Amino acid sequence: MTFSLSTTVVSEEGDCLYSFEYAANAAQTSIAVIHVYVQLGVIEPTGSMLHSREIARIAQIQRLRQDLGVNLVGAAIVLDLAQEVAQLKARLDVYRSQPQSLR
């Protein structure tokens, strides 16, 4: 992936990546907040860009903080646990879809 000043680039894997500026606008927050989230490890950039899932995570954190008064660490934990539950449900669905003789 090459550095670009544009708001969107495509990674070598074919994923769209977005600038911090674009992410801040999309999540209705500031670039400074995004930098704090990166420094704390709450979101993971790809170089100097963000994947759409990270932008969604920023927006979800903002909603948890503003609407429910959850602090930043609490919001990150809530989202991590929600992701883990979703992964476990998907694994359970795969397990249940297998014939009983293969379990």
Side-chain angles (χ1 to χ4, degrees), residues 35-81:
H35 282 288
V36 169
Y37 289 2
V38 169
Q39 289 172 349
L40 295 175
V42 175
I43 59 170
E44 296 179 19
T46 302
S48 62
M49 305 294 278
L50 294 170
H51 195 279
S52 60
R53 69 178 165 266
E54 297 301 325
I55 297 172
R57 185 173 171 90
I58 293 166
Q60 291 169 331
I61 289 169
Q62 293 297 102
R63 279 194 298 275
L64 286 168
R65 296 188 75 198
Q66 293 168 0
D67 296 347
L68 299 177
V70 178
N71 66 24
L72 179 57
V73 174
I77 290 171
V78 166
L79 294 178
D80 290 344
L81 289 173

